[in-house]
Amino acid sequence: MEHGHTKYPIGHIIGFLLSLAMTILAAIVALRSGLPKPAIMSIIGVLAFMQAGMQLFMFMHIKESDNSAVQIGNIIYSIIIALTIVLGSIWVMHN
Amino acid sequence: MIWTCPIINTKGWEENRLKLDEFFVTGEPIIYVTEAGIALAMIGILFYLTYFKKWKWLWNNWLTTVDHKKIGVMYILVAVLMLFRGGVDALMMRAQLTAPNLKLLDANHYDGIFTTHGTIMILFMAMPFLMGLINIAVPLQIGARDVAYPMLNAFSFWTFAAGCALFNISFIIGGSPTAGWTSYFPLAGTEFSPGVGNNYYAVALQIAGIGTLITGINFLVTILKMRTKGMTMMKMPMFVWSVLIMCIIIIFAFPVLTVALALMTFDRLAGTHFFTMAGGGMPMLWSNLFWIWGHPEVYIVLLPSLGIYSEIISTFAKKRLFGYKSMVFSMLAIALFSYFTWVHHFFTMGNTAAVNSFFSISTMLIAIPTGVKLFNWIFTIHKGKVKLTSAMLWSLAFIPNFLIGGVTGVMLAMAAADYQYHNSYFLIAHFHYTLIPGVAFACFAGLHYWYPKMFGHMLNEKLGKITFWFWMVGFNVCFLPQFVLGLKGMTRRMYTYQEGLGWDNLNMVSTVGGVLMGIGFLVLVWNIAYSIRHGERDVTGDPWDGRTLEWATPTPIPPYNFAVAPVAEEIDAYWNMKQKKTPLYKKVDVKPIHMPNNTGMPFVAAVGFGLGGFGLVFSWWWLAIVGLIIVLGCLAWRSFDPDKGHHIPVKEILETEEAARGEVV
Amino acid sequence: MSDHLDTSLPLEYQSEQSRLNIFGFWIFLGAEIALFATLFATYFVLSGMTAGGPSQLDLFKEKDVMIETILLLVSSFTCGLAIFSMRNHNKNAMLAWFIITLLLGAGFIYFELHEFIDYVHEGATMQTSAFLSGFFVLLGTHGAHVTLGILWGILLIIQVVRNGLNPVTSRKFFIISLYWHFLDVVWIFIFTFVYLGGLIQ
């Protein structure tokens, strides 16, 4: 496992600024844009997943180590399970 | 103690002002007798330990051990005790239902018994039995020295034990839970189940569940990262594959139970409205969350059981398991599908047709990979040199009996038809036909099979076969009539029934079957006791001419398992070594072995869990906080503990090996 | 378990036990995702059941939410800087950034408690309605995780001050950083689907 040591934490700074931007963008879309609710939810939902994914790679070093394949697989599978639990429950309970 | 919390409005929290005769369960002769029995047994044990000065031995060898082999034995010991209790619960139910309008048990007592029967058999009998066998066999089968996190392994066991102990005292102190092992709302809420019984359910299962989740992570990492040289994933024993997949299911299913039980705890102890009808809560949400966990749970117990059968069938047919790849893929498929079938447990709860249709189909789909496995076992046996040991008898009996359970499952999977079957004795018969031949038989089979590895002597084969036949006959006599009873309209969880419904004779027959199983259990216990003195001693470490690496260890198994990690070249690694006459290792390759130290932290933490849990059950917040502090304190202490373990020097290793095997080359 | 250290790797990955522990923690995070998913599912199912009591629009305040979000996001960033310093073998910088991380986390908890107390004073407790039960337990679980993280972090600070930066202490810091980042990731979803979702007119 190779890890290049950079002198400055460029990855983290970019990650932080992008997260900040996505957060503020989501807030603006939700609170100030006047779009219809389904559109807002879709946009901010996508932004949330994008920000989460980006933090996984840029902050949490998920691709490091020999176990990266299993680690990434584990997170992907957990997202599948999470979506099943959330969407499944909403669907089943909806009446 | 009235304390108004500034953050959460506690004015609605009722203090349980308990009188002494509400604290201790009173008025039931059966319970008094049981209390006396338990008290006597405990006094006996304390006396034995003190008189023979065994306290230090107990602490050093069992209470603080981190050795997977010992932890496995402790799990199985608890499981057998719980099998006794769950079995007595069952016999009491059968006794009460033998004839119409019997008055052995009143309704409330009956409710408590079927609740504890179900909860104990699944969570405190099957799970620990399997965890015990997994602990003993898996590290050995992969050629490892121990699991990835030995201290956490002990922590899992003791946490489980704390939850188990807490659940078991309920029938003496405060009262059993009475809302069924599924604990549906609104019955399970404080409006319809006042008192502490259901608090026991919520808290004890929560504590035990923590142990299970940690075990899931532990064995997943162990199997992925600690296999010996040469053992690629597709060369692992099938039991190890089944455990790996079980771990994946545990990791993603148990957190759902954790949340569900926590929400139940909040509803019962803090007046929230998750599942209550007041305040906008939804009782059906409980069922939804419970079964999102609950269906994967049955595969958590089933898959390692199927793994055990794979090992035993191939060993006693003297043939490599047929269809290795399809066995692996079918288990992966089962694990994946199991997350998408949960609604079949409540087809009749008012879901839309679209929901019911989806889950009907997904449920039927699971039968396919399961069927693939059944065929693979049959093909393994075909043209094999079959040896009918007890373990093999259990495994062979599994096939036709589980089949009945499986096909009735497909019948139940049809949502429209399920409106007739749901919550009838047809359902009860179905799940007993899957759980008993599927899981319980595997536990007995695995016990017979790995017994020499655990204790250095065999269980008596003749007594083993007698046990088997009592169960084989008794089980079918007990449960086959229940399919018919269900079709005749007998509902689940009824404490008595009228005459003239046509149910009398079948119930009586069913009770006879139950008694036969009880006798079989007694024969098993006698077998265990008898074999301590008279059981055939295992001197080779390989009494069955086994195929996998656990049989490469000597008897008794040294604490470090393998002096030198074996090299696995093929599936059935040890069989392969025996065929090629490969020596296990050379003396020159022996190096000092690093082993983890014993630690008392898991035991102390479990005491904390037990005390804290007890406090929560009775809403004694001070005790709950004390328990929490003990647990957190243990974790903090452990964080500071350098625990570098110890090394076993080469000289000691060689002495151990020579004593066990004779001359080492 | 061999004692051999692989010095070609970053400090926290050098011992075999460390690699096992870090890997095991990632697996544990998968379980935590399932846990929070269940809490989210519960919240979403119950979010409309206000039982005549206050709803999301009645209660949530934009300003508080943004403050909490920024505090936690910045703390995740400073946590990353702490690990970066650790990788550059700079113990003092690591400690400094890490202490800032915990302080920001404490700030987050302070604002969150303030928010909850305000709600209680407005008559919105977790016993008021199913929506509020779901809200408080989801947010409370996240907040409890953050609080536990702060306590855990203090213990680790003591250990690194005493024992210095070695394969064991660096591994412990790496693991808590994974935990801390994870909590911010969960907050992204709380911010988006609970707060923003609830504040849409």
Side-chain angles (χ1 to χ4, degrees), chain B residues 395-416:
Chain B
S395 309
L396 292 176
F398 146 76
I399 294 174
N401 285 292
F402 183 77
L403 185 62
I404 296 174
V407 300
T408 50
V410 181
M411 289 169 71
L412 290 158
M414 263 191 292

Side-chain angles (χ1 to χ4, degrees), chain B residues 102-177:
Chain B
L102 287 183
K103 299 263 181 289
L104 284 168
L105 302 168
D106 66 29
N108 190 57
H109 197 173
Y110 188 85
D111 290 357
I113 286 177
F114 67 63
T115 305
T116 54
H117 168 76
T119 312
I120 283 175
M121 286 304 207
I122 296 182
L123 293 170
F124 297 121
M125 191 286 289
M127 295 282 281
F129 214 129
L130 292 167
M131 291 307 179
L133 294 171
I134 288 169
N135 261 287
I136 287 162
V138 168
L140 294 172
Q141 285 194 330
I142 61 174
R145 294 257 150 75
D146 207 310
V147 296
Y149 314 117
M151 185 280 289
L152 280 181
N153 200 13
F155 187 89
S156 284
F157 170 73
W158 288 110
T159 307
F160 155 78
C164 184
L166 191 61
F167 190 81
N168 272 280
I169 56 165
S170 62
F171 82 108
I172 305 175
I173 301 183
S176 284

Side-chain angles (χ1 to χ4, degrees), chain C residues 82-118:
Chain C
I83 298 299
F84 180 81
S85 306
M86 186 178 88
R87 294 255 169 113
N88 283 328
H89 303 284
N90 191 339
K91 185 181 92 176
N92 291 328
M94 179 195 86
L95 272 176
W97 284 120
F98 194 69
I99 290 172
I100 293 175
T101 303
L102 295 188
L103 287 172
L104 289 169
F108 168 85
I109 294 293
Y110 170 79
F111 275 94
E112 187 166 71
L113 284 177
H114 206 265
E115 179 195 348
F116 289 177
I117 293 173
D118 278 348

Side-chain angles (χ1 to χ4, degrees), chain B residues 3 15 93 133 159 170 246 257 324 328 330 334 359 409 437 467 523 533 542 596 602:
Chain B
W3 162 65
E15 258 279 57
M93 283 193 280
L133 294 171
T159 307
S170 62
M246 172 201 83
L257 180 70
Y324 186 98
V328 171
S330 58
I334 291 172
F359 284 97
T467 306
V523 175
R533 217 36 113 56
D542 184 16

Side-chain angles (χ1 to χ4, degrees), chain B residues 376-435:
Chain B
N376 280 341
W377 287 308
I378 294 172
F379 290 141
T380 307
I381 298 166
H382 177 61
K383 292 215 176 135
K385 280 211 257 326
V386 175
K387 189 159 177 243
L388 291 175
T389 57
S390 307
M392 189 57 159
L393 284 174
W394 289 110
S395 309
L396 292 176
F398 146 76
I399 294 174
N401 285 292
F402 183 77
L403 185 62
I404 296 174
V407 300
T408 50
V410 181
M411 289 169 71
L412 290 158
M414 263 191 292
D418 190 54
Y419 273 79
Q420 299 297 320
Y421 304 129
H422 179 64
N423 265 2
S424 71
Y425 263 77
F426 191 89
L427 171 69
I428 294 185
H430 155 73
F431 65 67
H432 283 92
Y433 262 90
T434 46
L435 285 173

Side-chain angles (χ1 to χ4, degrees), chain B residues 7-9 13 148-149 220-221 225 251-252 255-256 259 266 270-274 279-280 282 289 594 639-640 647, chain C residues 1 3 17 20-21 24 27 30-31 35 38-39 42 45 49 51 113 120 125-127 129-130 133-134 137 155 159 172:
Chain B
I7 298 173
I8 306 163
N9 181 6
W13 296 15
Y149 314 117
L220 182 100
V221 176
K225 303 301 295 180
I251 289 165
F252 294 105
V256 181
V259 171
F266 271 103
T272 50
H273 297 295
F274 291 103
M282 297 184 190
L289 294 180
H594 180 253
S639 180
F640 282 89
H647 282 90
Chain C
M1 196 60 41
D3 302 317
Q17 189 63 51
L20 280 180
N21 287 11
I27 306 294
L35 186 113
T38 313
L39 288 167
T42 302
V45 166
M49 311 302 289
L113 284 177
V120 170
T125 67
M126 65 181 187
Q127 290 97 343
S129 66
S133 300
V137 169
L155 296 182
Q159 285 176 47
K172 292 185 187 220

Side-chain angles (χ1 to χ4, degrees), chain B residues 287-563:
Chain B
S287 310
N288 181 60
L289 294 180
F290 179 83
W291 286 114
I292 291 178
W293 164 79
H295 196 78
E297 163 67 9
V298 315
Y299 290 103
I300 288 170
V301 293
L302 185 64
L303 285 186
S305 306
L306 301 184
I308 292 173
Y309 291 132
S310 290
E311 297 296 324
I312 290 174
I313 289 177
S314 90
T315 301
F316 293 112
K318 280 205 145 27
K319 241 178 109 202
R320 182 181 281 195
L321 186 67
F322 186 93
Y324 186 98
K325 279 210 187 95
S326 62
M327 284 298 219
V328 171
F329 285 117
S330 58
M331 285 196 290
L332 284 168
I334 291 172
L336 187 65
F337 291 170
S338 71
Y339 281 100
F340 297 97
T341 62
W342 78 89
V343 178
H344 69 234
H345 297 273
F346 53 98
F347 277 137
T348 60
M349 214 176 264
N351 326 313
T352 62
V355 167
N356 277 1
S357 306
F358 173 85
F359 284 97
S360 240
I361 297 173
S362 66
T363 305
M364 292 190 221
L365 280 177
I366 280 209
I368 299 176
T370 319
V372 165
K373 297 181 77 67
L374 279 175
F375 281 113
N376 280 341
W377 287 308
I378 294 172
F379 290 141
T380 307
I381 298 166
H382 177 61
K383 292 215 176 135
K385 280 211 257 326
V386 175
K387 189 159 177 243
L388 291 175
T389 57
S390 307
M392 189 57 159
L393 284 174
W394 289 110
S395 309
L396 292 176
F398 146 76
I399 294 174
N401 285 292
F402 183 77
L403 185 62
I404 296 174
V407 300
T408 50
V410 181
M411 289 169 71
L412 290 158
M414 263 191 292
D418 190 54
Y419 273 79
Q420 299 297 320
Y421 304 129
H422 179 64
N423 265 2
S424 71
Y425 263 77
F426 191 89
L427 171 69
I428 294 185
H430 155 73
F431 65 67
H432 283 92
Y433 262 90
T434 46
L435 285 173
I436 297 185
V439 180
F441 283 18
C443 293
F444 295 138
L447 184 68
H448 280 272
Y449 184 58
W450 280 308
Y451 207 81
K453 275 295 143 201
M454 290 158 62
F455 296 111
H457 62 264
M458 322 279 282
L459 281 173
N460 182 278
E461 273 295 303
K462 191 141 171 245
L463 289 173
K465 287 177 180 154
I466 295 174
T467 306
F468 167 73
W469 283 112
F470 268 102
W471 270 75
M472 174 69 182
V473 172
F475 164 73
N476 280 289
V477 168
C478 184
F479 288 102
L480 208 52
Q482 293 190 9
F483 283 119
V484 183
L485 276 171
L487 294 174
K488 279 176 176 254
M490 186 171 177
T491 316
R492 185 183 187 183
R493 294 172 172 157
M494 44 190 336
Y495 86 106
T496 190
Y497 53 94
Q498 313 270 41
E499 319 178 318
L501 290 167
W503 297 350
D504 307 12
N505 293 332
L506 291 172
N507 267 300
M508 190 167 308
V509 170
S510 185
T511 301
V512 170
V515 171
L516 292 176
M517 285 193 278
I519 297 174
F521 176 76
L522 291 174
V523 175
L524 176 66
V525 173
W526 169 242
N527 192 349
I528 292 173
Y530 171 85
S531 300
I532 297 177
R533 217 36 113 56
H534 304 283
E536 185 190 324
R537 258 58 205 157
D538 163 37
V539 286
T540 60
D542 184 16
W544 310 117
D545 196 17
R547 308 178 76 82
T548 42
L549 286 174
E550 73 269 37
W551 306 109
T553 54
T555 295
I557 309 180
Y560 50 79
N561 297 349
F562 299 96

Side-chain angles (χ1 to χ4, degrees), chain B residues 618-630:
Chain B
F618 285 92
S619 300
W620 295 345
W621 311 116
W622 63 270
L623 184 57
I625 291 175
V626 165
L628 179 67
I629 291 176
I630 293 176

